[in-house]
Amino acid sequence: ASTSPVTAPVTAPPAPEAPAEPLLDRPEPGIAPAEGVTTDRLPRIEATPPVAAPDMAPAADDPRPIVRFAVPFANPQNKPLYAILIVDDGKAPVDRAALAALPLPVTVVLDPTDPDAAARAATYRKAGKEVAMLASAIPEGAKPSDLQVTFAAHDKALSEAVAVVDLPTGGFQNDRKLATDLVPVIKDQGRGLVTFDKGLNAGDQVARREAVPAALIFRELDAGGESAPVIRRYLDRAAFKAAQDGQVV
């Protein structure tokens, strides 16, 4: 498979010595929106209709963040797309310079409410990484006007984010009214949407209906504090799914 940013595939990590499952047509290294979220980046977030073919250069006059700040990638062999999102919520004491220097086209997801979000985004962007924003701080019972204000602030903090990524728990994707009000805000900002492949997922349904680039997250790699060998197996399973479906996040 080909690994990329959310808007493109990212090179898959090396397979374990004894993979748990056979890898057929393993994706090549190569993160849109998740919606939805190309090669040398997380798997490309496909729009409906698609924003652009993986091997096409973005339109120079397109101001949308999903186009303007997407990391370009090439997939000459037309391999399945494999995207990896790394969430930096600003809490963990990690070496962000080292993370930014990873030789993989990953997309880094940041919390726009983190006071240092803009500075961290600059570090990742300088290293050639795509960034996306968490759908955080949505007010309870939010009205359309509340969402406009919230995401205007998010845009100010992370103006180069190519996509909005829902929260693993307590997000908006299974709240149809909230999703119906929020997706147009994301569309107006020119971003894609990445949600989780679980539940009815009204967020993904509304995004595709509104032609917002959208992608589905197949699996969380460390939701339960899994060990490195377990995560490696998850990555292999994701590569197998990419071979079956053509793309995976």
Side-chain angles (χ1 to χ4, degrees), residues 145-232:
S145 57
D146 299 322
L147 297 174
Q148 291 281 357
V149 172
T150 297
F151 278 80
H154 290 358
D155 176 67
K156 185 175 181 180
L158 294 173
S159 61
E160 296 188 2
V162 298
V164 172
V165 182
D166 199 14
L167 304 176
T169 58
F172 68 87
Q173 71 176 59
N174 291 319
D175 184 328
R176 181 163 294 278
K177 182 181 184 306
L178 183 55
T180 299
D181 290 339
L182 179 55
V183 169
V185 176
I186 295 172
K187 181 177 183 178
D188 288 346
Q189 289 191 342
R191 296 189 162 92
L193 174 64
V194 181
T195 56
F196 293 81
D197 191 7
K198 60 185 179 183
L200 297 176
N201 201 344
D204 184 72
Q205 295 173 17
V206 174
R208 295 181 187 278
R209 185 183 71 206
E210 297 293 328
V212 173
L216 293 173
I217 295 174
F218 167 61
R219 181 188 290 274
E220 288 181 77
L221 297 179
D222 62 348
E226 289 84 348
S227 64
V230 172
I231 290 176
R232 182 179 288 272

Side-chain angles (χ1 to χ4, degrees), residues 56-161:
M56 293 175 61
D61 59 349
D62 193 328
R64 294 176 299 163
I66 190 173
V67 175
R68 185 177 177 190
F69 303 115
V71 174
F73 78 103
N75 188 15
Q77 297 181 347
N78 197 31
K79 289 191 175 184
L81 302 182
Y82 191 117
I84 296 176
L85 293 163
I86 295 180
V87 179
D88 177 1
D89 60 8
K91 300 174 184 177
V94 301
D95 184 343
R96 291 180 173 84
L99 185 60
L102 281 174
L104 297 172
V106 298
T107 297
V108 182
V109 186
L110 299 165
D111 185 345
T113 65
D114 175 5
D116 296 323
R120 291 186 174 128
T123 297
Y124 295 123
R125 292 290 295 144
K126 185 177 180 180
K129 298 292 187 291
E130 270 184 358
V131 296
M133 67 170 70
L134 284 172
S136 57
I138 295 178
E140 184 174 354
K143 298 178 180 178
S145 57
D146 299 322
L147 297 174
Q148 291 281 357
V149 172
T150 297
F151 278 80
H154 290 358
D155 176 67
K156 185 175 181 180
L158 294 173
S159 61
E160 296 188 2

